[in-house]
Amino acid sequence: MTTVSDETAKVQDALKQKYLHHFNRQPVFSAYAPGRVEVLGNHTDYNEGFVLSAAINMGTFFVCSPNDTTTCRLVAGDIMEETVFDIAKPEKVAEMTWSNYVRGVIDGLGIDATLPHGFDGMFLGNIPLGAGLSSSAALEMSSALCLSALYGLDTSDKLNLAKTGQRAEHLFAGVKCGLLDQMTSLFGAESRLVHTDFRSLQAVTVPISSDVCLLMCNTHAKHSLTESAYNERRAHCEAAAKAFAGLLPHPVTHLRDVSSVEFEKLRNQIDPAAARRAAHVVGENTRVEIGVELLKQNRVAEFGRLMFDSHESSRHNFENSCAELDFLVETAGGIDGVLGARLSGGGFGGSTVVLTQKDAAKTIGDVIRKAYQKKYDTVCDIQVLLPSAGARIITD
Ligand code: GLA
């Protein structure tokens, strides 16, 4: 039996109240999906590589009831903004763009199923927006589960749900993301990291020592995946894979197919910028695989060092870090009790994830917060992230 934390339960209650007030009735269906933190394996998912991540103790609730028209009324519970559209035409919009994630999910669900009527829906969450913790995937997965319950659709194929969310990102939000965010939100488990192979699309979980915890440090520096930077990096990786395909005797469809030995042997034969992008992805894949073994042996200090290496590679090879993220990682690295730190997610702003000894976490958080305030004269939000259970339909 999974329980939501007190903080999350408050969000659920607030949503019920808002729904009742707005629609004058109780919602019939309800689902929850957590955000995620990427712990190791950066920009490896769309390169068919490996990632270690966790579903977190913050997420989004989506509730709805059927109505007897074909109209969908969808409300963002934080700002109480409502958008209205026909269930047969959940088109992408340029205003109230928050609704595109749900519109995209409905469009995806409608490919194989008949959605015969509209609904009155609302969502509310507690994932800080723009922090790199995948509030969008949480919205996609909570709406996909809730609307599947509403229309009587099978939700046993989690991979299929994840792909529906990814399709919404690609076609309705314009971000050519991989499957990391959606898979982690769905496959998360309490006190465990999710280890995903993005070629076989198999996700298994690995326990992480209860002596350590993760801190999220949100820079509030600009972070917008819809900007071209993310898609551009993806294109660089595809170009690098093509270059290696021309040099290696075996098939190379993605950077996953290039081993670190092959990379070192051939790196000078491809464009230097492409080689640096590839260095990041190939290196990250290796670090994840080593990291999994270290976690299994409870060697968390060595695991933490891989996180620092990962950040260094982001900074130098993938160029998806920024001054604020670098400052946080460097600051964390100088504090006793910190085991590892790196940027988490797409990059170009957002958050760092810091691995600390649990008993020192609060003190460490305070030191980081003060240092950031001193340097940038602005607040860096710090929260303890607990690896948590994945998305689910709520029956009560
Ligand atoms: C974002 C994307 C993911 C993944 C990460 C980087 O979170 O949505 O698919 O590519 O960036 O690892």
PDB file of all heavy atoms in Angstrom, residues 200-233:
ATOM      1  N   SER A 200      16.116  -1.411 -24.798  1.00  0.00           N
ATOM      2  CA  SER A 200      15.118  -2.471 -24.584  1.00  0.00           C
ATOM      3  C   SER A 200      13.855  -1.902 -23.939  1.00  0.00           C
ATOM      4  O   SER A 200      12.826  -2.547 -23.905  1.00  0.00           O
ATOM      5  CB  SER A 200      15.705  -3.560 -23.684  1.00  0.00           C
ATOM      6  OG  SER A 200      15.926  -3.035 -22.391  1.00  0.00           O
ATOM      7  N   LEU A 201      13.966  -0.693 -23.400  1.00  0.00           N
ATOM      8  CA  LEU A 201      12.881  -0.041 -22.658  1.00  0.00           C
ATOM      9  C   LEU A 201      12.440  -0.863 -21.446  1.00  0.00           C
ATOM     10  O   LEU A 201      11.265  -0.931 -21.109  1.00  0.00           O
ATOM     11  CB  LEU A 201      11.714   0.317 -23.596  1.00  0.00           C
ATOM     12  CG  LEU A 201      12.093   1.345 -24.661  1.00  0.00           C
ATOM     13  CD1 LEU A 201      10.970   1.582 -25.653  1.00  0.00           C
ATOM     14  CD2 LEU A 201      12.505   2.678 -24.031  1.00  0.00           C
ATOM     15  N   GLN A 202      13.442  -1.485 -20.838  1.00  0.00           N
ATOM     16  CA  GLN A 202      13.216  -2.214 -19.592  1.00  0.00           C
ATOM     17  C   GLN A 202      13.617  -1.318 -18.431  1.00  0.00           C
ATOM     18  O   GLN A 202      14.708  -0.734 -18.449  1.00  0.00           O
ATOM     19  CB  GLN A 202      14.112  -3.456 -19.520  1.00  0.00           C
ATOM     20  CG  GLN A 202      13.854  -4.499 -20.570  1.00  0.00           C
ATOM     21  CD  GLN A 202      12.592  -5.280 -20.271  1.00  0.00           C
ATOM     22  OE1 GLN A 202      12.338  -5.600 -19.125  1.00  0.00           O
ATOM     23  NE2 GLN A 202      11.802  -5.537 -21.300  1.00  0.00           N
ATOM     24  N   ALA A 203      12.762  -1.232 -17.424  1.00  0.00           N
ATOM     25  CA  ALA A 203      13.113  -0.464 -16.227  1.00  0.00           C
ATOM     26  C   ALA A 203      13.106  -1.393 -15.024  1.00  0.00           C
ATOM     27  O   ALA A 203      12.149  -2.133 -14.818  1.00  0.00           O
ATOM     28  CB  ALA A 203      12.106   0.662 -16.025  1.00  0.00           C
ATOM     29  N   VAL A 204      14.198  -1.372 -14.260  1.00  0.00           N
ATOM     30  CA  VAL A 204      14.234  -2.135 -13.004  1.00  0.00           C
ATOM     31  C   VAL A 204      14.606  -1.147 -11.900  1.00  0.00           C
ATOM     32  O   VAL A 204      15.124  -0.068 -12.182  1.00  0.00           O
ATOM     33  CB  VAL A 204      15.273  -3.291 -13.037  1.00  0.00           C
ATOM     34  CG1 VAL A 204      14.869  -4.363 -14.011  1.00  0.00           C
ATOM     35  CG2 VAL A 204      16.669  -2.776 -13.356  1.00  0.00           C
ATOM     36  N   THR A 205      14.357  -1.511 -10.647  1.00  0.00           N
ATOM     37  CA  THR A 205      14.711  -0.567  -9.586  1.00  0.00           C
ATOM     38  C   THR A 205      15.853  -1.120  -8.745  1.00  0.00           C
ATOM     39  O   THR A 205      16.023  -2.337  -8.613  1.00  0.00           O
ATOM     40  CB  THR A 205      13.498  -0.229  -8.692  1.00  0.00           C
ATOM     41  OG1 THR A 205      13.034  -1.410  -8.063  1.00  0.00           O
ATOM     42  CG2 THR A 205      12.387   0.424  -9.487  1.00  0.00           C
ATOM     43  N   VAL A 206      16.634  -0.187  -8.215  1.00  0.00           N
ATOM     44  CA  VAL A 206      17.824  -0.535  -7.423  1.00  0.00           C
ATOM     45  C   VAL A 206      17.708   0.200  -6.086  1.00  0.00           C
ATOM     46  O   VAL A 206      17.471   1.413  -6.089  1.00  0.00           O
ATOM     47  CB  VAL A 206      19.116  -0.012  -8.120  1.00  0.00           C
ATOM     48  CG1 VAL A 206      20.361  -0.606  -7.510  1.00  0.00           C
ATOM     49  CG2 VAL A 206      19.061  -0.236  -9.614  1.00  0.00           C
ATOM     50  N   PRO A 207      17.897  -0.486  -4.955  1.00  0.00           N
ATOM     51  CA  PRO A 207      17.795   0.237  -3.681  1.00  0.00           C
ATOM     52  C   PRO A 207      18.942   1.217  -3.488  1.00  0.00           C
ATOM     53  O   PRO A 207      20.055   0.976  -3.964  1.00  0.00           O
ATOM     54  CB  PRO A 207      17.846  -0.863  -2.624  1.00  0.00           C
ATOM     55  CG  PRO A 207      18.377  -2.057  -3.299  1.00  0.00           C
ATOM     56  CD  PRO A 207      18.162  -1.915  -4.771  1.00  0.00           C
ATOM     57  N   ILE A 208      18.669   2.306  -2.801  1.00  0.00           N
ATOM     58  CA  ILE A 208      19.737   3.250  -2.467  1.00  0.00           C
ATOM     59  C   ILE A 208      19.785   3.335  -0.943  1.00  0.00           C
ATOM     60  O   ILE A 208      18.737   3.353  -0.279  1.00  0.00           O
ATOM     61  CB  ILE A 208      19.538   4.618  -3.158  1.00  0.00           C
ATOM     62  CG1 ILE A 208      20.657   5.587  -2.782  1.00  0.00           C
ATOM     63  CG2 ILE A 208      18.180   5.244  -2.898  1.00  0.00           C
ATOM     64  CD1 ILE A 208      20.862   6.731  -3.758  1.00  0.00           C
ATOM     65  N   SER A 209      20.991   3.374  -0.407  1.00  0.00           N
ATOM     66  CA  SER A 209      21.192   3.342   1.046  1.00  0.00           C
ATOM     67  C   SER A 209      20.301   4.345   1.772  1.00  0.00           C
ATOM     68  O   SER A 209      20.176   5.498   1.343  1.00  0.00           O
ATOM     69  CB  SER A 209      22.663   3.656   1.339  1.00  0.00           C
ATOM     70  OG  SER A 209      22.794   4.039   2.684  1.00  0.00           O
ATOM     71  N   SER A 210      19.732   3.921   2.900  1.00  0.00           N
ATOM     72  CA  SER A 210      18.875   4.842   3.654  1.00  0.00           C
ATOM     73  C   SER A 210      19.708   5.843   4.470  1.00  0.00           C
ATOM     74  O   SER A 210      19.162   6.725   5.114  1.00  0.00           O
ATOM     75  CB  SER A 210      17.928   4.063   4.553  1.00  0.00           C
ATOM     76  OG  SER A 210      18.688   3.209   5.370  1.00  0.00           O
ATOM     77  N   ASP A 211      21.042   5.723   4.425  1.00  0.00           N
ATOM     78  CA  ASP A 211      21.897   6.699   5.125  1.00  0.00           C
ATOM     79  C   ASP A 211      22.087   7.980   4.315  1.00  0.00           C
ATOM     80  O   ASP A 211      22.645   8.953   4.807  1.00  0.00           O
ATOM     81  CB  ASP A 211      23.315   6.125   5.346  1.00  0.00           C
ATOM     82  CG  ASP A 211      23.271   4.914   6.238  1.00  0.00           C
ATOM     83  OD1 ASP A 211      22.279   4.767   6.968  1.00  0.00           O
ATOM     84  OD2 ASP A 211      24.231   4.116   6.172  1.00  0.00           O
ATOM     85  N   VAL A 212      21.688   7.943   3.030  1.00  0.00           N
ATOM     86  CA  VAL A 212      21.917   9.117   2.190  1.00  0.00           C
ATOM     87  C   VAL A 212      20.592   9.693   1.700  1.00  0.00           C
ATOM     88  O   VAL A 212      19.553   9.028   1.769  1.00  0.00           O
ATOM     89  CB  VAL A 212      22.795   8.781   0.950  1.00  0.00           C
ATOM     90  CG1 VAL A 212      24.171   8.321   1.378  1.00  0.00           C
ATOM     91  CG2 VAL A 212      22.123   7.766   0.052  1.00  0.00           C
ATOM     92  N   CYS A 213      20.643  10.919   1.235  1.00  0.00           N
ATOM     93  CA  CYS A 213      19.445  11.474   0.599  1.00  0.00           C
ATOM     94  C   CYS A 213      19.838  12.433  -0.510  1.00  0.00           C
ATOM     95  O   CYS A 213      21.023  12.754  -0.684  1.00  0.00           O
ATOM     96  CB  CYS A 213      18.535  12.125   1.626  1.00  0.00           C
ATOM     97  SG  CYS A 213      19.170  13.647   2.275  1.00  0.00           S
ATOM     98  N   LEU A 214      18.842  12.852  -1.263  1.00  0.00           N
ATOM     99  CA  LEU A 214      19.087  13.742  -2.398  1.00  0.00           C
ATOM    100  C   LEU A 214      18.514  15.114  -2.088  1.00  0.00           C
ATOM    101  O   LEU A 214      17.393  15.223  -1.582  1.00  0.00           O
ATOM    102  CB  LEU A 214      18.394  13.185  -3.656  1.00  0.00           C
ATOM    103  CG  LEU A 214      18.870  11.824  -4.144  1.00  0.00           C
ATOM    104  CD1 LEU A 214      17.906  11.266  -5.196  1.00  0.00           C
ATOM    105  CD2 LEU A 214      20.272  11.930  -4.752  1.00  0.00           C
ATOM    106  N   LEU A 215      19.291  16.140  -2.387  1.00  0.00           N
ATOM    107  CA  LEU A 215      18.774  17.505  -2.254  1.00  0.00           C
ATOM    108  C   LEU A 215      18.588  18.064  -3.651  1.00  0.00           C
ATOM    109  O   LEU A 215      19.452  17.870  -4.521  1.00  0.00           O
ATOM    110  CB  LEU A 215      19.782  18.403  -1.532  1.00  0.00           C
ATOM    111  CG  LEU A 215      20.066  18.148  -0.062  1.00  0.00           C
ATOM    112  CD1 LEU A 215      21.092  19.163   0.427  1.00  0.00           C
ATOM    113  CD2 LEU A 215      18.782  18.268   0.741  1.00  0.00           C
ATOM    114  N   MET A 216      17.489  18.745  -3.856  1.00  0.00           N
ATOM    115  CA  MET A 216      17.314  19.461  -5.108  1.00  0.00           C
ATOM    116  C   MET A 216      17.589  20.931  -4.849  1.00  0.00           C
ATOM    117  O   MET A 216      17.053  21.510  -3.909  1.00  0.00           O
ATOM    118  CB  MET A 216      15.878  19.305  -5.591  1.00  0.00           C
ATOM    119  CG  MET A 216      15.598  20.034  -6.867  1.00  0.00           C
ATOM    120  SD  MET A 216      13.881  20.584  -6.981  1.00  0.00           S
ATOM    121  CE  MET A 216      13.830  21.920  -5.829  1.00  0.00           C
ATOM    122  N   CYS A 217      18.455  21.514  -5.642  1.00  0.00           N
ATOM    123  CA  CYS A 217      18.781  22.932  -5.470  1.00  0.00           C
ATOM    124  C   CYS A 217      18.383  23.659  -6.743  1.00  0.00           C
ATOM    125  O   CYS A 217      19.030  23.513  -7.784  1.00  0.00           O
ATOM    126  CB  CYS A 217      20.281  23.120  -5.232  1.00  0.00           C
ATOM    127  SG  CYS A 217      20.935  22.041  -3.954  1.00  0.00           S
ATOM    128  N   ASN A 218      17.315  24.419  -6.648  1.00  0.00           N
ATOM    129  CA  ASN A 218      16.752  25.074  -7.831  1.00  0.00           C
ATOM    130  C   ASN A 218      17.344  26.468  -8.015  1.00  0.00           C
ATOM    131  O   ASN A 218      17.112  27.357  -7.205  1.00  0.00           O
ATOM    132  CB  ASN A 218      15.229  25.154  -7.648  1.00  0.00           C
ATOM    133  CG  ASN A 218      14.532  25.762  -8.845  1.00  0.00           C
ATOM    134  OD1 ASN A 218      15.170  26.120  -9.833  1.00  0.00           O
ATOM    135  ND2 ASN A 218      13.219  25.884  -8.754  1.00  0.00           N
ATOM    136  N   THR A 219      18.069  26.649  -9.099  1.00  0.00           N
ATOM    137  CA  THR A 219      18.745  27.930  -9.338  1.00  0.00           C
ATOM    138  C   THR A 219      17.776  29.045  -9.717  1.00  0.00           C
ATOM    139  O   THR A 219      18.113  30.211  -9.619  1.00  0.00           O
ATOM    140  CB  THR A 219      19.729  27.816 -10.528  1.00  0.00           C
ATOM    141  OG1 THR A 219      18.962  27.469 -11.688  1.00  0.00           O
ATOM    142  CG2 THR A 219      20.791  26.787 -10.282  1.00  0.00           C
ATOM    143  N   HIS A 220      16.628  28.663 -10.232  1.00  0.00           N
ATOM    144  CA  HIS A 220      15.680  29.610 -10.835  1.00  0.00           C
ATOM    145  C   HIS A 220      16.281  30.286 -12.064  1.00  0.00           C
ATOM    146  O   HIS A 220      15.726  31.254 -12.570  1.00  0.00           O
ATOM    147  CB  HIS A 220      15.198  30.684  -9.844  1.00  0.00           C
ATOM    148  CG  HIS A 220      14.320  30.095  -8.772  1.00  0.00           C
ATOM    149  ND1 HIS A 220      13.024  29.747  -8.997  1.00  0.00           N
ATOM    150  CD2 HIS A 220      14.585  29.782  -7.481  1.00  0.00           C
ATOM    151  CE1 HIS A 220      12.509  29.237  -7.890  1.00  0.00           C
ATOM    152  NE2 HIS A 220      13.447  29.233  -6.958  1.00  0.00           N
ATOM    153  N   ALA A 221      17.407  29.786 -12.504  1.00  0.00           N
ATOM    154  CA  ALA A 221      17.965  30.316 -13.752  1.00  0.00           C
ATOM    155  C   ALA A 221      17.058  29.815 -14.876  1.00  0.00           C
ATOM    156  O   ALA A 221      16.411  28.786 -14.740  1.00  0.00           O
ATOM    157  CB  ALA A 221      19.389  29.822 -13.949  1.00  0.00           C
ATOM    158  N   LYS A 222      17.028  30.560 -15.957  1.00  0.00           N
ATOM    159  CA  LYS A 222      16.070  30.254 -17.024  1.00  0.00           C
ATOM    160  C   LYS A 222      16.241  28.821 -17.528  1.00  0.00           C
ATOM    161  O   LYS A 222      17.319  28.368 -17.802  1.00  0.00           O
ATOM    162  CB  LYS A 222      16.274  31.235 -18.175  1.00  0.00           C
ATOM    163  CG  LYS A 222      15.176  31.163 -19.197  1.00  0.00           C
ATOM    164  CD  LYS A 222      15.227  32.364 -20.111  1.00  0.00           C
ATOM    165  CE  LYS A 222      14.441  32.162 -21.386  1.00  0.00           C
ATOM    166  NZ  LYS A 222      13.252  31.343 -21.281  1.00  0.00           N
ATOM    167  N   HIS A 223      15.140  28.146 -17.620  1.00  0.00           N
ATOM    168  CA  HIS A 223      15.165  26.762 -18.050  1.00  0.00           C
ATOM    169  C   HIS A 223      13.930  26.523 -18.906  1.00  0.00           C
ATOM    170  O   HIS A 223      12.823  26.510 -18.419  1.00  0.00           O
ATOM    171  CB  HIS A 223      15.116  25.866 -16.816  1.00  0.00           C
ATOM    172  CG  HIS A 223      14.860  24.431 -17.111  1.00  0.00           C
ATOM    173  ND1 HIS A 223      13.604  23.917 -17.228  1.00  0.00           N
ATOM    174  CD2 HIS A 223      15.704  23.408 -17.313  1.00  0.00           C
ATOM    175  CE1 HIS A 223      13.690  22.624 -17.484  1.00  0.00           C
ATOM    176  NE2 HIS A 223      14.956  22.307 -17.540  1.00  0.00           N
ATOM    177  N   SER A 224      14.135  26.410 -20.182  1.00  0.00           N
ATOM    178  CA  SER A 224      12.967  26.160 -21.018  1.00  0.00           C
ATOM    179  C   SER A 224      13.332  25.152 -22.090  1.00  0.00           C
ATOM    180  O   SER A 224      14.014  25.449 -23.045  1.00  0.00           O
ATOM    181  CB  SER A 224      12.497  27.449 -21.660  1.00  0.00           C
ATOM    182  OG  SER A 224      11.467  27.161 -22.552  1.00  0.00           O
ATOM    183  N   LEU A 225      12.819  23.936 -21.885  1.00  0.00           N
ATOM    184  CA  LEU A 225      13.145  22.875 -22.837  1.00  0.00           C
ATOM    185  C   LEU A 225      12.568  23.169 -24.210  1.00  0.00           C
ATOM    186  O   LEU A 225      13.046  22.650 -25.201  1.00  0.00           O
ATOM    187  CB  LEU A 225      12.590  21.545 -22.351  1.00  0.00           C
ATOM    188  CG  LEU A 225      13.348  20.851 -21.222  1.00  0.00           C
ATOM    189  CD1 LEU A 225      12.699  19.541 -20.918  1.00  0.00           C
ATOM    190  CD2 LEU A 225      14.798  20.638 -21.591  1.00  0.00           C
ATOM    191  N   THR A 226      11.527  23.984 -24.238  1.00  0.00           N
ATOM    192  CA  THR A 226      10.928  24.247 -25.541  1.00  0.00           C
ATOM    193  C   THR A 226      11.848  25.112 -26.378  1.00  0.00           C
ATOM    194  O   THR A 226      11.692  25.200 -27.588  1.00  0.00           O
ATOM    195  CB  THR A 226       9.548  24.919 -25.398  1.00  0.00           C
ATOM    196  OG1 THR A 226       9.634  25.908 -24.377  1.00  0.00           O
ATOM    197  CG2 THR A 226       8.464  23.927 -25.055  1.00  0.00           C
ATOM    198  N   GLU A 227      12.818  25.705 -25.754  1.00  0.00           N
ATOM    199  CA  GLU A 227      13.789  26.459 -26.546  1.00  0.00           C
ATOM    200  C   GLU A 227      14.603  25.472 -27.367  1.00  0.00           C
ATOM    201  O   GLU A 227      14.708  24.294 -27.042  1.00  0.00           O
ATOM    202  CB  GLU A 227      14.683  27.286 -25.630  1.00  0.00           C
ATOM    203  CG  GLU A 227      13.989  28.559 -25.199  1.00  0.00           C
ATOM    204  CD  GLU A 227      14.866  29.364 -24.256  1.00  0.00           C
ATOM    205  OE1 GLU A 227      15.901  28.830 -23.821  1.00  0.00           O
ATOM    206  OE2 GLU A 227      14.510  30.486 -23.982  1.00  0.00           O
ATOM    207  N   SER A 228      15.233  26.039 -28.364  1.00  0.00           N
ATOM    208  CA  SER A 228      15.889  25.167 -29.336  1.00  0.00           C
ATOM    209  C   SER A 228      17.064  24.360 -28.782  1.00  0.00           C
ATOM    210  O   SER A 228      17.426  23.333 -29.345  1.00  0.00           O
ATOM    211  CB  SER A 228      16.386  26.018 -30.491  1.00  0.00           C
ATOM    212  OG  SER A 228      17.200  27.043 -29.951  1.00  0.00           O
ATOM    213  N   ALA A 229      17.651  24.805 -27.665  1.00  0.00           N
ATOM    214  CA  ALA A 229      18.887  24.175 -27.202  1.00  0.00           C
ATOM    215  C   ALA A 229      18.776  22.651 -27.056  1.00  0.00           C
ATOM    216  O   ALA A 229      19.678  21.918 -27.466  1.00  0.00           O
ATOM    217  CB  ALA A 229      19.310  24.799 -25.886  1.00  0.00           C
ATOM    218  N   TYR A 230      17.682  22.192 -26.461  1.00  0.00           N
ATOM    219  CA  TYR A 230      17.530  20.762 -26.235  1.00  0.00           C
ATOM    220  C   TYR A 230      17.481  20.011 -27.574  1.00  0.00           C
ATOM    221  O   TYR A 230      18.208  19.028 -27.773  1.00  0.00           O
ATOM    222  CB  TYR A 230      16.262  20.490 -25.414  1.00  0.00           C
ATOM    223  CG  TYR A 230      16.049  19.028 -25.107  1.00  0.00           C
ATOM    224  CD1 TYR A 230      16.510  18.472 -23.922  1.00  0.00           C
ATOM    225  CD2 TYR A 230      15.399  18.192 -26.006  1.00  0.00           C
ATOM    226  CE1 TYR A 230      16.322  17.131 -23.640  1.00  0.00           C
ATOM    227  CE2 TYR A 230      15.203  16.847 -25.734  1.00  0.00           C
ATOM    228  CZ  TYR A 230      15.658  16.323 -24.558  1.00  0.00           C
ATOM    229  OH  TYR A 230      15.472  14.992 -24.279  1.00  0.00           O
ATOM    230  N   ASN A 231      16.617  20.493 -28.478  1.00  0.00           N
ATOM    231  CA  ASN A 231      16.475  19.823 -29.770  1.00  0.00           C
ATOM    232  C   ASN A 231      17.793  19.869 -30.559  1.00  0.00           C
ATOM    233  O   ASN A 231      18.135  18.924 -31.283  1.00  0.00           O
ATOM    234  CB  ASN A 231      15.362  20.482 -30.585  1.00  0.00           C
ATOM    235  CG  ASN A 231      13.999  20.288 -29.935  1.00  0.00           C
ATOM    236  OD1 ASN A 231      13.849  19.455 -29.037  1.00  0.00           O
ATOM    237  ND2 ASN A 231      13.016  21.053 -30.371  1.00  0.00           N
ATOM    238  N   GLU A 232      18.505  20.964 -30.371  1.00  0.00           N
ATOM    239  CA  GLU A 232      19.796  21.111 -31.050  1.00  0.00           C
ATOM    240  C   GLU A 232      20.795  20.057 -30.570  1.00  0.00           C
ATOM    241  O   GLU A 232      21.482  19.430 -31.365  1.00  0.00           O
ATOM    242  CB  GLU A 232      20.323  22.491 -30.681  1.00  0.00           C
ATOM    243  CG  GLU A 232      21.185  23.166 -31.685  1.00  0.00           C
ATOM    244  CD  GLU A 232      21.520  24.551 -31.139  1.00  0.00           C
ATOM    245  OE1 GLU A 232      22.474  24.672 -30.339  1.00  0.00           O
ATOM    246  OE2 GLU A 232      20.783  25.486 -31.483  1.00  0.00           O
ATOM    247  N   ARG A 233      20.827  19.843 -29.241  1.00  0.00           N
ATOM    248  CA  ARG A 233      21.736  18.820 -28.699  1.00  0.00           C
ATOM    249  C   ARG A 233      21.374  17.446 -29.248  1.00  0.00           C
ATOM    250  O   ARG A 233      22.230  16.630 -29.545  1.00  0.00           O
ATOM    251  CB  ARG A 233      21.681  18.774 -27.174  1.00  0.00           C
ATOM    252  CG  ARG A 233      22.255  19.976 -26.476  1.00  0.00           C
ATOM    253  CD  ARG A 233      23.731  20.164 -26.833  1.00  0.00           C
ATOM    254  NE  ARG A 233      24.302  21.276 -26.096  1.00  0.00           N
ATOM    255  CZ  ARG A 233      24.135  22.559 -26.404  1.00  0.00           C
ATOM    256  NH1 ARG A 233      23.420  22.911 -27.466  1.00  0.00           N
ATOM    257  NH2 ARG A 233      24.684  23.510 -25.670  1.00  0.00           N
TER     258      ARG A 233
END
